[in-house]
Structures are given as C-alpha cells and as structure tokens.
Amino acid sequence: MQANTLSGGFADPATQSAHAFRSVMEAMARPGTIQDIEGAAPPAPLSPAMGAVLLTLCDTETPIYLAGDMDCEAARAWLAFHTGAHFVGPAHCMFAVGKWDALAPLAVYPIGTSEYPDRSTTLIVECSELAAGATLTGPGIKDQATLSLPEVEAFQVNPTLFPLGLDFIFTCGERLAALPRSTKVS
C-alpha cells in the first residue's frame, strides 16, 4: 500500500469531520452560499473539498461512483482505506464524484422513489470556480441567491421532480456550495 493512500485523511477525525459536516449542512440549508471546508489532503484528481466531503459523508455502506478522471487507482485506494466505501456504476450509487461533463447523462442516477425519496444520488461536482451566476430561489433563500452552474437547464428540470430528484455539491479547492433538489434556478 502506498504512503499517499494512508495519508491525507483527517488528522483529528472527530473534530474535523464535525466541522466539515457543518459546512456541508450550511451549504445545503442555504443554497448559493460558499463554504470553506478543510482538513483533507486526498490524492489528485480529488480536491481537498471533495476529499473532506467524502470523508465526512461516506462509510462502508456507501456506494460511490467515480466518473471520468476521478476513477483512478489513487482515488479508489484512498477512499477505500479512509472510508471503506465500495464502488459501483452510476445506476446504483449514493454519491457520484466527478467533473460535470464526466457525470453526464443525469438520467442514469437514482432520483428516489415515492416511498423513499431519500434514496437518490448526490452528485459531488468539481468546478473550476464557485462564483455568482444563475439566480436561485426556494427554501433556505431569503429573496434570491446566485451561483455559477455548469449549465442551467438540468437544474431547472430537477425541482420539477420534487420530492424526488438529485442533490448537488459543488467543490473547488477548499470551498463548496450546494444545490438541493428543492431549489429553483432561473
């Protein structure tokens, strides 16, 4: 086992995962806000924010899909060692990890069922930047918020499926933002 597989996890797992969880929940509760998240140093091509999210939300019962260049031996070994998560195809994952183009098409991911809407996929999307952009409205947003999105149309369709649909976490370096399925995009 390579040294970089063993390193890069949380140095103080209890405290750092609590802080990371708080950042993820704040981002989900307040769509469009950008949160700092730190503590992980995963191997490339995973970003520090992506690594911290995965360390916080994944465990041995979490099926993960790695898309595109994220599906490499270094990322698989690091995630397997630090989370115990197993790897599956897009139709069976709880979390899909990758860049926007590699994650397409969105129709392959579970959106939940009427009995279990929570059995949907959360896509963790690595972005080149997190900035102002499309207009967001909905729960957790006082009037409106803005967030740069890789495209607009997919995010306009997603809330029409509510309570079903996909949730999104956007990462960039050591920052993240989120777009839950209840957020309307214009």
Side-chain angles (χ1 to χ4, degrees):
M1 189 173 290
Q2 296 181 346
N4 59 347
T5 298
L6 304 177
S7 64
F10 290 141
D12 179 6
T15 302
Q16 289 176 301
S17 63
H19 287 285
F21 186 76
R22 175 67 180 216
S23 293
V24 172
M25 291 301 103
E26 281 290 322
M28 278 290 187
R30 293 175 175 73
T33 62
I34 298 172
Q35 304 290 320
D36 292 323
I37 188 168
E38 55 188 36
L46 300 173
S47 70
M50 191 174 269
V53 169
L54 291 166
L55 287 176
T56 302
L57 300 180
C58 298
D59 61 21
T60 59
E61 296 181 19
T62 308
I64 298 175
Y65 170 62
L66 298 174
D69 65 348
M70 299 296 170
D71 191 7
C72 64
E73 184 55 36
R76 282 178 172 262
W78 189 81
L79 286 167
F81 177 76
H82 289 282
T83 69
H86 57 282
F87 303 99
V88 297
H92 304 288
C93 67
M94 288 177 65
F95 292 96
V97 180
K99 294 181 179 164
W100 183 251
D101 291 339
L103 291 165
L106 297 182
V108 300
Y109 300 104
I111 62 168
T113 66
S114 57
E115 296 83 18
Y116 300 102
D118 59 316
R119 293 186 183 170
S120 64
T121 300
T122 298
L123 283 80
I124 304 171
V125 183
E126 183 64 21
C127 301
S128 58
E129 71 173 342
L130 293 175
T135 302
L136 313 177
T137 57
I141 302 170
K142 184 173 181 179
D143 294 315
Q144 66 181 27
T146 62
L147 182 64
S148 55
L149 299 172
E151 71 173 76
V152 175
E153 185 180 342
F155 302 103
Q156 290 175 326
V157 171
N158 195 44
T160 64
L161 305 171
F162 189 79
L164 307 180
L166 303 170
D167 296 310
F168 298 88
I169 298 173
F170 302 101
T171 61
C172 180
E174 292 185 341
R175 301 176 343 141
L176 68 89
L179 192 67
R181 66 189 82 181
S182 58
T183 303
K184 293 182 174 64
V185 177
S186 58

